[in-house]
Amino acid sequence: MITVPTSHALFLAGVLFLLGLMGVIVRRNIIFILLGLEIMLNASGLAFIAAGFHWGRPDGQIMFLFILAMAAAEVSVGLALVLQLYHRIHTLDADQADKMRG
Amino acid sequence: MVQLLWLIPALPLAGFVILAPAGARLPRRLSAVIGVGTVGVSAALTAWIAAGFLHGLPDHPAYSRVVWSWLAVGGLKVGISFYLDALTLTMMLVITGVGFFIHLYAAEYMAEDEGFSRFFAYMNLFVCAMLILVMADNLLLLYLGWEGVGLCSYLLIGFWYADPANGYAARKAFVVTRVGDTAMAVGLFLLFDRLGTLQIQDLMIRAQGAWTVGAFLPTIAALLLLGGAVGKSAQLPLQTWLPDAMAGPTPVSALIHAATMVTAGVYLIARTHVLFTLAPAVMTVVAVVGAATLVLAGFSALTQKDIKRVLAYSTISQIGYMFLALGVGAWAAAVFHFMIHAFFKALLFLGAGAVIQAMSEEHDMFKMGGLRREMPLTFWTFLIGSASLAALPLVTSGFYSKDLIIWQAFASVQGGIGLWAAALAGAFLTSLYTFRMVFLTFYGPTRTPVAKQPGQGMNIAMVVLAVLSLCAGFLEIPNTLGGGVHLFSGFIQNALPTTVLAVSREAYEGLFEWISGGTALLGVAIIYVLILRVPDFTAALAGSPTGKVLHRYWFGGWGFDALYDRILVRPYVFLARIDKDDIIDSFFDLMSWFGGLAHRVLSTTQNGRMRTYAAGLAIGAAVVVGMAVLL
């Protein structure tokens, strides 16, 4: 069996995390921001899996299950907030929701 | 018994703590119950402790009680600790007793006022601070009370702060007394530096051991303490604040500016009497200041129109008597006059308050008149107070206390004919201005209709004080009258030394009492003729060129205000104006400019956009991780 080196898996996780972060920062559509967040979460989950595999312990997989559950909750709350936001300002542009500027 | 000593100041403090934050939301009745009740319970406790104290005499002339340790730095250990002896007990009885009746009066007097509970919060704080002042067993705690009463005096003079004139009067009182307080603070530093303690009793013992009579250091220390006393007690040359302090509500004038706070200077000198006996020169200064003040203030009182200002100058004058007594070593006479003065002057202020309310806030005596028929109870109590102030012979307390001072100003070994003459002139002036006030206010034609009669609480307070003004004097009757009674001086001897009389002068006591008693009666007779029989002649006398000049000087308190304005206030204001943009100001301007700049820069980063914040978070995390990796 060919094993993937841990460093490759971590590199992939890092790239995914940065892609997700870019999505959060660059995209203005709030749905895509949520997608970016989701990618970041999964990138960290991947890093956990890789680390768990590297040390030969189940902790990484358990953490991934936690992250999955958290991501599901985050999406449901996040989408409810998006609905409310759209209801109020009639756009999905996150930059329009800047009422709290100093 | 003395275990409960701490409760006496703690109860009014509790009243303040409740009323200050919650006052405006409490119903007025409850505010009044808290404000008056705490002082009342304190008064009852004081009476109970006094009974125990009398029971313990003469084996236990003093108690001390440490409640808490306040601070301990290097060699300085200061406790929240109380000392109880005959002098303290007398002060406490007056503060809580007279204070309670004034509070009772105020509950009705101030009933319509918007700041009702604020008033009682300040009054309770004042009673607490004043009790701390007299009960302190070390000079630092005494100084805490000293500044505390000064603060309350400021707050209560400016109680009706909407009128800028009241605020000005409050600031004036605060600043002028601060001059004296600074001298006193320097005196405390000197005493601690030289004698290494601030415990009053230890200090007195060490002073006696370390210093000889008439040496330089005790003289300086006593002079500095005298500075504080002169400021607080409104004596020359710091007396200018007291007449203006009448801007406060009348119960405040009765409690703070007549009965208690202004006599703190008398208490301070009596409490540190050992130091003063080590400095005979300063004792002479005290006597001369007292004598000069009592005469000058007497002339000023004679020309005032405002009934409260008459009483204010009269208070300055009567405290002058106490200083005179202290200066000639007549300690018991000074404290006795303090007590009797607290009774009759509080009574006179309360009576004046009732009159002022009846006249719809009119203070001018020339617009009053004929109130004898309209307000009989106020008239009779006011008359009793006035008779006591004028020291009418035999029947009034004032006679026994004031004539004791006049006599001892002559008969004491430190006394003399000059001091006695000043005291006698003061007594003559006192009966002139006192009965001028009575005749203008209560006799003659009615000039303003009575708008409001004093109610039950006010009447009770006035009657009780009137009874005290009549009867308290019998505690101390001179030997020439039926063998004499010396209950008070016998009691106060447990704390203060007896007066040393010059042997050659003792025989004249009866004669001198005749003279001073006769002077008081003569004053009443003269002013009766001048005011009620020949008012035209009196007006012509005041209208003559000499009369006009004198009237102007006396009315303005001998021009002290104008003098201080010219030599102190104006140069200071001038310096402040030309020095507006100096380098220190520029430094602070720079600081404020930098603050504004930082505000503008940072507020642009708060643009409300979530993406910017997320980017900020990411960059910050990257920097932190980068630093952790690289360093």
Side-chain angles (χ1 to χ4, degrees), chain A residues 21 25-28 95 97-98 101-102, chain B residues 603 606-611 614-615 618:
Chain A
L21 182 65
I25 292 173
V26 174
R27 296 304 295 246
R28 291 168 65 167
D95 283 2
D98 63 348
R101 63 178 167 270
Chain B
S603 70
Q606 295 286 314
N607 59 5
R609 292 187 188 168
M610 192 197 65
R611 299 186 308 133

Side-chain angles (χ1 to χ4, degrees), chain B residues 441-452:
Chain B
T441 313
F442 290 97
Y443 286 76
T446 308
R447 297 191 187 88
T448 314
V450 171
K452 185 170 179 246

Side-chain angles (χ1 to χ4, degrees), chain B residues 343-355:
Chain B
F343 296 151
F344 67 67
K345 191 52 68 65
L347 167 64
L348 286 173
F349 268 114
L350 298 190
V355 167

Side-chain angles (χ1 to χ4, degrees), chain B residues 373-397:
Chain B
R373 292 173 298 275
E374 317 277 341
M375 308 172 73
L377 188 107
T378 310
F379 166 68
W380 282 108
T381 52
F382 198 86
L383 188 70
I384 290 169
S386 301
S388 201
L389 169 59
L392 295 190
L394 302 181
V395 291
T396 63
S397 301

Side-chain angles (χ1 to χ4, degrees), chain A residues 70-84:
Chain A
M70 209 250 336
E74 178 250 321
V75 164
S76 59
V77 173
L79 285 178
L81 285 176
V82 167
L83 277 177
Q84 273 299 321

Side-chain angles (χ1 to χ4, degrees), chain A residues 41 44-49 51-52 57-71:
Chain A
L41 282 172
S44 58
L46 182 58
F48 270 115
I49 297 282
R57 293 164 65 100
D59 308 32
Q61 295 177 30
I62 293 169
M63 280 310 293
F64 185 68
L65 286 178
F66 279 140
I67 289 173
L68 269 185
M70 209 250 336

Side-chain angles (χ1 to χ4, degrees), chain A residues 100-102, chain B residues 594-608 613:
Chain A
M100 284 179 67
R101 63 178 167 270
Chain B
F594 181 75
L597 182 76
H599 157 76
R600 279 191 299 279
V601 169
L602 288 176
S603 70
T604 53
T605 65
Q606 295 286 314
N607 59 5
Y613 298 161

